[in-house]
PDB file of all heavy atoms in Angstrom:
ATOM      1  N   ARG O 380       1.496  21.453  25.283  1.00 66.00           N
ATOM      2  CA  ARG O 380       0.164  21.016  24.867  1.00 66.00           C
ATOM      3  C   ARG O 380      -0.913  21.673  25.720  1.00 66.00           C
ATOM      4  O   ARG O 380      -1.938  22.100  25.226  1.00 66.00           O
ATOM      5  CB  ARG O 380       0.059  19.494  24.973  1.00 66.00           C
ATOM      6  CG  ARG O 380      -1.235  18.936  24.407  1.00 66.00           C
ATOM      7  CD  ARG O 380      -1.379  17.457  24.714  1.00 66.00           C
ATOM      8  NE  ARG O 380      -1.601  17.203  26.119  1.00 66.00           N
ATOM      9  CZ  ARG O 380      -2.746  17.443  26.772  1.00 66.00           C
ATOM     10  NH1 ARG O 380      -3.773  17.947  26.142  1.00 66.00           N
ATOM     11  NH2 ARG O 380      -2.868  17.181  28.058  1.00 66.00           N
ATOM     12  N   THR O 381      -0.648  21.793  27.014  1.00 58.00           N
ATOM     13  CA  THR O 381      -1.666  22.335  27.911  1.00 58.00           C
ATOM     14  C   THR O 381      -1.680  23.862  27.941  1.00 58.00           C
ATOM     15  O   THR O 381      -2.658  24.450  28.376  1.00 58.00           O
ATOM     16  CB  THR O 381      -1.483  21.805  29.348  1.00 58.00           C
ATOM     17  OG1 THR O 381      -0.197  22.178  29.819  1.00 58.00           O
ATOM     18  CG2 THR O 381      -1.645  20.303  29.390  1.00 58.00           C
ATOM     19  N   THR O 382      -0.603  24.501  27.485  1.00 59.00           N
ATOM     20  CA  THR O 382      -0.550  25.962  27.571  1.00 59.00           C
ATOM     21  C   THR O 382      -0.792  26.669  26.244  1.00 59.00           C
ATOM     22  O   THR O 382      -1.158  27.838  26.242  1.00 59.00           O
ATOM     23  CB  THR O 382       0.812  26.442  28.120  1.00 59.00           C
ATOM     24  OG1 THR O 382       1.854  25.973  27.269  1.00 59.00           O
ATOM     25  CG2 THR O 382       1.022  25.976  29.536  1.00 59.00           C
ATOM     26  N   ASN O 383      -0.612  25.981  25.112  1.00 57.00           N
ATOM     27  CA  ASN O 383      -0.776  26.690  23.844  1.00 57.00           C
ATOM     28  C   ASN O 383      -1.924  26.163  22.989  1.00 57.00           C
ATOM     29  O   ASN O 383      -2.023  26.498  21.815  1.00 57.00           O
ATOM     30  CB  ASN O 383       0.534  26.708  23.043  1.00 57.00           C
ATOM     31  CG  ASN O 383       0.900  25.359  22.488  1.00 57.00           C
ATOM     32  OD1 ASN O 383       0.158  24.396  22.599  1.00 57.00           O
ATOM     33  ND2 ASN O 383       2.067  25.281  21.879  1.00 57.00           N
ATOM     34  N   GLY O 384      -2.764  25.313  23.565  1.00 55.00           N
ATOM     35  CA  GLY O 384      -3.937  24.856  22.841  1.00 55.00           C
ATOM     36  C   GLY O 384      -3.679  23.709  21.885  1.00 55.00           C
ATOM     37  O   GLY O 384      -4.543  23.355  21.102  1.00 55.00           O
ATOM     38  N   MET O 385      -2.481  23.128  21.938  1.00 56.00           N
ATOM     39  CA  MET O 385      -2.198  21.969  21.103  1.00 56.00           C
ATOM     40  C   MET O 385      -3.171  20.869  21.474  1.00 56.00           C
ATOM     41  O   MET O 385      -3.482  20.674  22.641  1.00 56.00           O
ATOM     42  CB  MET O 385      -0.769  21.470  21.438  1.00 56.00           C
ATOM     43  CG  MET O 385       0.140  21.265  20.272  1.00 56.00           C
ATOM     44  SD  MET O 385       1.645  20.403  20.818  1.00 56.00           S
ATOM     45  CE  MET O 385       2.780  21.745  20.974  1.00 56.00           C
ATOM     46  N   GLY O 386      -3.630  20.143  20.494  1.00 56.00           N
ATOM     47  CA  GLY O 386      -4.522  19.030  20.781  1.00 56.00           C
ATOM     48  C   GLY O 386      -3.781  17.906  21.471  1.00 56.00           C
ATOM     49  O   GLY O 386      -2.581  17.979  21.699  1.00 56.00           O
ATOM     50  N   GLY O 387      -4.483  16.861  21.783  1.00 60.00           N
ATOM     51  CA  GLY O 387      -3.861  15.714  22.421  1.00 60.00           C
ATOM     52  C   GLY O 387      -3.104  14.866  21.413  1.00 60.00           C
ATOM     53  O   GLY O 387      -3.259  15.016  20.208  1.00 60.00           O
ATOM     54  N   PHE O 388      -2.294  13.974  21.915  1.00 63.00           N
ATOM     55  CA  PHE O 388      -1.559  13.055  21.070  1.00 63.00           C
ATOM     56  C   PHE O 388      -2.255  11.708  21.082  1.00 63.00           C
ATOM     57  O   PHE O 388      -2.911  11.350  22.050  1.00 63.00           O
ATOM     58  CB  PHE O 388      -0.113  12.929  21.556  1.00 63.00           C
ATOM     59  CG  PHE O 388       0.695  14.164  21.302  1.00 63.00           C
ATOM     60  CD1 PHE O 388       0.941  15.072  22.310  1.00 63.00           C
ATOM     61  CD2 PHE O 388       1.188  14.430  20.041  1.00 63.00           C
ATOM     62  CE1 PHE O 388       1.672  16.219  22.074  1.00 63.00           C
ATOM     63  CE2 PHE O 388       1.922  15.574  19.786  1.00 63.00           C
ATOM     64  CZ  PHE O 388       2.168  16.468  20.797  1.00 63.00           C
ATOM     65  N   PRO O 389      -2.100  10.934  20.005  1.00 63.00           N
ATOM     66  CA  PRO O 389      -2.782   9.639  19.936  1.00 63.00           C
ATOM     67  C   PRO O 389      -2.207   8.631  20.923  1.00 63.00           C
ATOM     68  O   PRO O 389      -1.182   8.873  21.567  1.00 63.00           O
ATOM     69  CB  PRO O 389      -2.535   9.203  18.485  1.00 63.00           C
ATOM     70  CG  PRO O 389      -1.341   9.949  18.030  1.00 63.00           C
ATOM     71  CD  PRO O 389      -1.330  11.241  18.807  1.00 63.00           C
ATOM     72  N   GLY O 390      -2.871   7.489  21.003  1.00 69.00           N
ATOM     73  CA  GLY O 390      -2.518   6.465  21.969  1.00 69.00           C
ATOM     74  C   GLY O 390      -1.090   5.987  21.906  1.00 69.00           C
ATOM     75  O   GLY O 390      -0.470   5.729  22.941  1.00 69.00           O
ATOM     76  N   ASP O 391      -0.518   5.868  20.685  1.00 73.00           N
ATOM     77  CA  ASP O 391       0.851   5.368  20.633  1.00 73.00           C
ATOM     78  C   ASP O 391       1.832   6.369  21.237  1.00 73.00           C
ATOM     79  O   ASP O 391       2.799   5.978  21.893  1.00 73.00           O
ATOM     80  CB  ASP O 391       1.261   4.949  19.220  1.00 73.00           C
ATOM     81  CG  ASP O 391       1.152   6.058  18.199  1.00 73.00           C
ATOM     82  OD1 ASP O 391       0.432   7.040  18.428  1.00 73.00           O
ATOM     83  OD2 ASP O 391       1.798   5.927  17.139  1.00 73.00           O
ATOM     84  N   CYS O 392       1.587   7.677  21.074  1.00 73.00           N
ATOM     85  CA  CYS O 392       2.437   8.687  21.713  1.00 73.00           C
ATOM     86  C   CYS O 392       2.316   8.587  23.230  1.00 73.00           C
ATOM     87  O   CYS O 392       3.310   8.665  23.956  1.00 73.00           O
ATOM     88  CB  CYS O 392       2.043  10.093  21.274  1.00 73.00           C
ATOM     89  SG  CYS O 392       2.385  10.458  19.547  1.00 73.00           S
ATOM     90  N   ARG O 393       1.094   8.402  23.700  1.00 78.00           N
ATOM     91  CA  ARG O 393       0.877   8.276  25.140  1.00 78.00           C
ATOM     92  C   ARG O 393       1.524   6.997  25.682  1.00 78.00           C
ATOM     93  O   ARG O 393       2.022   6.973  26.805  1.00 78.00           O
ATOM     94  CB  ARG O 393      -0.610   8.303  25.457  1.00 78.00           C
ATOM     95  CG  ARG O 393      -1.215   9.674  25.248  1.00 78.00           C
ATOM     96  CD  ARG O 393      -2.607   9.735  25.885  1.00 78.00           C
ATOM     97  NE  ARG O 393      -3.139  11.066  25.818  1.00 78.00           N
ATOM     98  CZ  ARG O 393      -2.838  12.054  26.666  1.00 78.00           C
ATOM     99  NH1 ARG O 393      -1.985  11.849  27.633  1.00 78.00           N
ATOM    100  NH2 ARG O 393      -3.394  13.238  26.537  1.00 78.00           N
ATOM    101  N   THR O 394       1.537   5.948  24.881  1.00 82.00           N
ATOM    102  CA  THR O 394       2.181   4.694  25.292  1.00 82.00           C
ATOM    103  C   THR O 394       3.676   4.910  25.467  1.00 82.00           C
ATOM    104  O   THR O 394       4.263   4.447  26.456  1.00 82.00           O
ATOM    105  CB  THR O 394       1.909   3.591  24.251  1.00 82.00           C
ATOM    106  OG1 THR O 394       0.503   3.409  24.138  1.00 82.00           O
ATOM    107  CG2 THR O 394       2.557   2.289  24.648  1.00 82.00           C
ATOM    108  N   HIS O 395       4.301   5.616  24.534  1.00 80.00           N
ATOM    109  CA  HIS O 395       5.735   5.922  24.666  1.00 80.00           C
ATOM    110  C   HIS O 395       5.980   6.778  25.906  1.00 80.00           C
ATOM    111  O   HIS O 395       6.948   6.565  26.634  1.00 80.00           O
ATOM    112  CB  HIS O 395       6.260   6.651  23.435  1.00 80.00           C
ATOM    113  CG  HIS O 395       6.225   5.835  22.181  1.00 80.00           C
ATOM    114  ND1 HIS O 395       6.661   4.538  22.105  1.00 80.00           N
ATOM    115  CD2 HIS O 395       5.803   6.154  20.938  1.00 80.00           C
ATOM    116  CE1 HIS O 395       6.515   4.084  20.880  1.00 80.00           C
ATOM    117  NE2 HIS O 395       5.987   5.048  20.153  1.00 80.00           N
ATOM    118  N   ARG O 396       5.112   7.741  26.121  1.00 80.00           N
ATOM    119  CA  ARG O 396       5.250   8.603  27.303  1.00 80.00           C
ATOM    120  C   ARG O 396       5.114   7.774  28.580  1.00 80.00           C
ATOM    121  O   ARG O 396       5.885   7.938  29.524  1.00 80.00           O
ATOM    122  CB  ARG O 396       4.201   9.715  27.249  1.00 80.00           C
ATOM    123  CG  ARG O 396       4.232  10.656  28.423  1.00 80.00           C
ATOM    124  CD  ARG O 396       3.210  11.805  28.204  1.00 80.00           C
ATOM    125  NE  ARG O 396       2.781  12.402  29.428  1.00 80.00           N
ATOM    126  CZ  ARG O 396       3.525  13.210  30.182  1.00 80.00           C
ATOM    127  NH1 ARG O 396       4.740  13.522  29.813  1.00 80.00           N
ATOM    128  NH2 ARG O 396       3.039  13.712  31.301  1.00 80.00           N
ATOM    129  N   ALA O 397       4.132   6.864  28.601  1.00 84.00           N
ATOM    130  CA  ALA O 397       3.943   5.995  29.769  1.00 84.00           C
ATOM    131  C   ALA O 397       5.192   5.145  30.012  1.00 84.00           C
ATOM    132  O   ALA O 397       5.633   4.978  31.157  1.00 84.00           O
ATOM    133  CB  ALA O 397       2.719   5.101  29.575  1.00 84.00           C
ATOM    134  N   GLU O 398       5.786   4.633  28.941  1.00 86.00           N
ATOM    135  CA  GLU O 398       7.000   3.829  29.072  1.00 86.00           C
ATOM    136  C   GLU O 398       8.153   4.656  29.645  1.00 86.00           C
ATOM    137  O   GLU O 398       8.875   4.198  30.536  1.00 86.00           O
ATOM    138  CB  GLU O 398       7.402   3.257  27.717  1.00 86.00           C
ATOM    139  CG  GLU O 398       8.652   2.404  27.771  1.00 86.00           C
ATOM    140  CD  GLU O 398       9.093   1.900  26.412  1.00 86.00           C
ATOM    141  OE1 GLU O 398       8.411   2.156  25.398  1.00 86.00           O
ATOM    142  OE2 GLU O 398      10.157   1.248  26.366  1.00 86.00           O
ATOM    143  N   ALA O 399       8.309   5.867  29.142  1.00 84.00           N
ATOM    144  CA  ALA O 399       9.384   6.732  29.629  1.00 84.00           C
ATOM    145  C   ALA O 399       9.189   7.029  31.116  1.00 84.00           C
ATOM    146  O   ALA O 399      10.146   6.955  31.904  1.00 84.00           O
ATOM    147  CB  ALA O 399       9.431   8.034  28.829  1.00 84.00           C
ATOM    148  N   LEU O 400       7.967   7.359  31.503  1.00 84.00           N
ATOM    149  CA  LEU O 400       7.690   7.647  32.907  1.00 84.00           C
ATOM    150  C   LEU O 400       7.934   6.415  33.785  1.00 84.00           C
ATOM    151  O   LEU O 400       8.511   6.510  34.871  1.00 84.00           O
ATOM    152  CB  LEU O 400       6.245   8.151  33.069  1.00 84.00           C
ATOM    153  CG  LEU O 400       5.967   9.533  32.491  1.00 84.00           C
ATOM    154  CD1 LEU O 400       4.459   9.778  32.392  1.00 84.00           C
ATOM    155  CD2 LEU O 400       6.643  10.613  33.327  1.00 84.00           C
ATOM    156  N   PHE O 401       7.502   5.259  33.314  1.00 88.00           N
ATOM    157  CA  PHE O 401       7.690   4.017  34.062  1.00 88.00           C
ATOM    158  C   PHE O 401       9.166   3.730  34.267  1.00 88.00           C
ATOM    159  O   PHE O 401       9.613   3.432  35.389  1.00 88.00           O
ATOM    160  CB  PHE O 401       7.024   2.848  33.312  1.00 88.00           C
ATOM    161  CG  PHE O 401       7.194   1.536  34.008  1.00 88.00           C
ATOM    162  CD1 PHE O 401       6.359   1.173  35.054  1.00 88.00           C
ATOM    163  CD2 PHE O 401       8.195   0.656  33.622  1.00 88.00           C
ATOM    164  CE1 PHE O 401       6.521  -0.042  35.709  1.00 88.00           C
ATOM    165  CE2 PHE O 401       8.375  -0.562  34.268  1.00 88.00           C
ATOM    166  CZ  PHE O 401       7.536  -0.906  35.309  1.00 88.00           C
TER     167      PHE O 401
END
Side-chain angles (χ1 to χ4, degrees):
R380 187 188 69 74
T381 59
T382 59
N383 71 5
M385 231 190 261
F388 289 101
D391 58 340
C392 292
R393 289 193 174 279
T394 301
H395 295 314
R396 179 175 156 73
E398 180 183 357
L400 291 166
F401 179 82

